[in-house]
Amino acid sequence: MLQTKKQARRRRRLRAAGVLTLLTAVVGGGAYLAISQLNSSEVLVRERCSAVVGTDTYELAPEQAANASTIAGVAVTRGLPPRAVSIALATAVQESGLRNLDYGDQAGPDSRGLFQQRPSQGWGTEEQVQDPIYAAGAFYDELVTVPGYQSLPITEAAQLVQRSAYPDAYADHEPEARAFASALTGQSPASLNCVLRKPVASGSAAAVTERFAAVFPALPTAATEEGLVTSASGSEGWAAAQFAVANAKELGITSVSHAGLQWNRADGGWTTAETETGQVLITLAEVAA
């Protein structure tokens, strides 16, 4: 039987509607799949390290936190008080943003490193002031010569060391400096946390051991079946544990355990765990080549 024009048009509309429905389902399904994959993507993880004091939380990028941990570790090794670290961190945040800069500015064209120390002013060679351990040590060498520095306002103590053209600027960074100093000197246990993406390479036991030996030379670190173990307790133990967390991104660390708690990279936080007394246990990533 021949179709009427009206029937033919109706059939074409039905076929078009069916095709549109199919396309919508395909496109919609593809969009859902793409969104699902995007949501689970590591790219969406905003890497950061935070220090918590009371109800306040302060954040640094992993690179900044690692530099802060070195500054704090040098002070712990020297037996300096947390106040010295607060002053040093406020200074480094102001001078370099806690980044190991290889350039200066118009006021100090030869300034370099975390503290923007100038070789022309006797702080050391250009290579030395770009070594975070040396730079922190040089800062503390000057700080401890300041009479009563522990009782001075942070900005005043920092200025007596740095002699900056902007002497009041250090005060702007006092809250975050105090928070990270408290965590990284071990005064505030489990108060430093880093949220990181999955490791892209295996961790190196030699690199971790070398880093600890450079910053905490008095703390022995040894490899065991469980991972790397550093012998430390009390505030020193927490300083070492949170140093490891702060350097987890660069060193490929996946977990840090100490004093009944464990930081786990996959979860991004501290939880209760069985631990050995007086030990910091560090486990490393194993990524297939």
Side-chain angles (χ1 to χ4, degrees):
M1 182 182 295
L2 295 176
Q3 301 179 77
T4 66
K5 290 183 179 180
K6 184 176 181 180
Q7 289 173 324
R9 284 197 300 270
R10 184 171 182 274
R11 287 178 180 273
R12 285 197 296 270
R13 284 198 298 270
L14 289 173
R15 284 198 298 269
V19 170
L20 180 60
T21 300
L22 179 61
L23 285 173
T24 300
V26 171
V27 173
Y32 173 80
L33 179 61
I35 291 171
S36 297
Q37 290 176 338
L38 188 61
N39 284 339
S40 63
S41 172
E42 286 288 300
V43 175
L44 291 182
V45 175
R46 183 173 67 85
E47 295 190 306
R48 60 200 182 276
C49 294
S50 59
V52 179
V53 175
T55 59
D56 297 323
T57 300
Y58 301 92
E59 292 186 354
L60 293 174
E63 175 195 354
Q64 295 171 304
N67 287 328
S69 74
T70 296
I71 293 171
V74 171
V76 170
T77 294
R78 291 181 172 217
L80 296 176
R83 181 68 171 181
V85 180
S86 295
I87 296 167
L89 291 182
T91 302
V93 172
Q94 171 60 28
E95 296 290 354
S96 68
L98 271 172
R99 300 185 189 279
N100 196 17
L101 303 181
D102 61 356
Y103 57 87
D105 56 19
Q106 188 172 4
D110 65 330
S111 298
R112 298 289 186 273
L114 293 171
F115 295 92
Q116 288 290 277
Q117 293 156 330
R118 302 183 64 182
S120 64
Q121 301 298 315
W123 283 100
T125 67
E126 185 172 317
E127 181 180 1
Q128 286 175 324
V129 298
Q130 289 185 81
D131 174 355
I133 295 175
Y134 174 91
F139 180 87
Y140 292 131
D141 285 343
E142 289 297 316
L143 179 63
V144 296
T145 67
V146 175
Y149 77 88
Q150 293 189 58
S151 59
L152 292 176
I154 282 180
T155 190
E156 185 176 338
Q159 174 61 9
L160 288 171
V161 175
Q162 296 292 106
R163 295 176 173 81
S164 169
Y166 307 97
D168 298 325
Y170 303 111
D172 296 339
H173 311 293
E174 181 172 346
E176 62 263 43
R178 290 168 61 91
F180 278 94
S182 184
L184 293 169
T185 59
Q187 302 303 306
S188 297
S191 62
L192 180 85
N193 179 44
C194 290
V195 176
L196 305 171
R197 301 186 186 111
K198 294 178 181 178
V200 296
S202 297
S204 166
V208 175
T209 301
E210 182 180 355
R211 183 69 57 85
F212 265 81
V215 178
F216 300 104
L219 298 183
T221 301
T224 68
E225 291 184 358
E226 292 80 14
L228 289 170
V229 171
T230 295
S231 298
S233 59
S235 62
E236 188 177 47
W238 277 111
Q242 295 184 112
F243 175 87
V245 174
N247 288 272
K249 177 179 172 63
E250 180 185 351
L251 297 176
I253 293 171
T254 54
S255 72
V256 179
S257 304
H258 181 62
L261 293 171
Q262 181 183 74
W263 172 82
N264 192 299
R265 183 172 183 149
D267 300 330
W270 291 91
T271 56
T272 56
E274 293 185 6
T275 59
E276 294 291 334
T277 302
Q279 290 186 350
V280 177
L281 174 63
I282 301 167
T283 61
L284 303 176
E286 295 182 5
V287 179

